[in-house]
Amino acid sequence: MTPPDSGTVPRRGWSIAVVLTGVFVSSLDLFIVNIAFPDLARSFPTATLSDLSWVLSVYAITFAALLAPAGRWADQSGRKRAFLAGLALFTLASALCAAAPSLGWLVAARALQAVGGGLMLPSSLGLLLPLFPLERRGAAVGLWSAMGGAAAALGPPVGGLLVDAGWQWVFLVNLPVGVAGVLVGAWALREVREESRTSPDVLGALVLAVTVGALVAAIVQGETWGWTDVRVLGLGAAGLVGIALSAVRAVRHPAPVIEPAILRIRAVALANVATMLFFAGFGAMALGAVLFLTQIWQHSVLRAGLEMAPGPLMAAVCAIPGGLLATRYGNRLVGCAGSLLFAGGGLLWATATGADPAYAADFLPAGIIAGIGSGLALPCLSGAATLPLPPERFATGTAMVSMCRQIGLALGAAVVAALIGTRPDLAAFHASWYFMAACGLAGGVAMLGVRDTGPRLVPVAGAVAR
């Protein structure tokens, strides 16, 4: 496959806009749903925090399991086709979420929404990168990451406004954007596909979903059931067996969910590990912050959304400069610096916040520091995990790093639910912030192992990457 030259692609500006819109709405949904948690708890009063956490976790687990096979399918069957199908399904599932009469319905609709996101996201970067010349692809990754940061910045305040009219509106907001994106994308996007065809590992994807689900369930229910309860131990054992089976599938299947040939590239493997660690901390931050502000400081959902916004806004502002800095100084140094700043924000929250509200002195500075760190780290994580790959593996590489991101988010939310679910006191939130800091630190250490060697020949699954 030869990617189209960026200067000859028709309707290039519209193509970039549609792809970035898809990335934006899928990221916006995560942060809007976080801010809706207090309202969901009132709508479903018999549900515990552990039950409600599945509204987030089922999305992340389903998303993670589908990303790699969906990325493979997008590479082979066409990235435009996969992107538009995913965006259409995501939009339809958003309507089903809004219509949910019960928590079980909502969780099921969220799983369907994740199927749409799983089709859409891996093909997004694969569609975006060929629209830019090689020397500007670092900036393209920064722009792609900035959409996630912008969604994170807008999610809390927009979610706070929408929740005032009912939590259903956090899903209904996706409908006009999704419909417009499908219509414009069908006209503007150009199809890009790989020549070879190998069926993706559907069974491997199911095994991965069950594995992550079992591990998340063990973490979520451990505090409630008891860590030595036979159910928790059984879930943990199922997770370990699933990890072993996933490793076997990766070696034996011609198109596995986790592709060993890609992970043999040192920068790609370490970037994926760093991504999982970083986003475990990010998931803890996203859920823990809204619960802290609404439960410990007793702020309204709207006020909490506005108070959370400056950190994600800094992430959006810093993402494009982060991509440019990575192009000049390397993903290793910039990504490590960003991860350490993120960890510093978590550590400051853990040591500075108290039971008495002191937003400007205690909460805001740490949020801004964590936001700057996120803005620097995100394009480096994505860039290190995808740019060493050949063009025909862009969607597959994006799927793998996105899969690690979603697994990390699910684990982070599960840890917060376990820490706060049974005793939502100040000490539990401080433990969440320490967990956030530890994940950021570990992600930064992993990024230090990335070696930025510049363009080189890398064998990947029978292809040659430059």
Side-chain angles (χ1 to χ4, degrees), residues 11-22 83 128 131 147 184:
R11 308 179 182 98
R12 176 174 177 268
W14 285 105
S15 298
I16 294 172
V18 168
V19 170
L20 295 181
T21 297
F83 180 84
L128 186 66
L131 297 173
M147 287 298 101
V184 176

Side-chain angles (χ1 to χ4, degrees), residues 64 67-68 71 122 256-260 262-263 268 272 275-276 385-386 389 394-407:
L67 279 167
V257 175
I258 301 172
E259 192 169 341
I262 288 180
L263 293 181
V268 173
N272 278 285
T275 297
M276 187 181 300
T386 56
L389 301 176
F394 281 157
T396 304
T398 304
M400 292 191 70
V401 70
S402 300
M403 177 182 70
C404 290
R405 178 170 65 186
Q406 294 301 320
I407 291 174

Side-chain angles (χ1 to χ4, degrees), residues 120-151:
M120 180 169 51
L121 191 65
S123 52
S124 63
L125 191 58
L127 287 169
L128 186 66
L129 286 177
L131 297 173
F132 289 80
L134 185 62
E135 66 274 10
R136 296 189 60 199
R137 286 184 177 173
V141 173
L143 185 63
W144 185 80
S145 301
M147 287 298 101

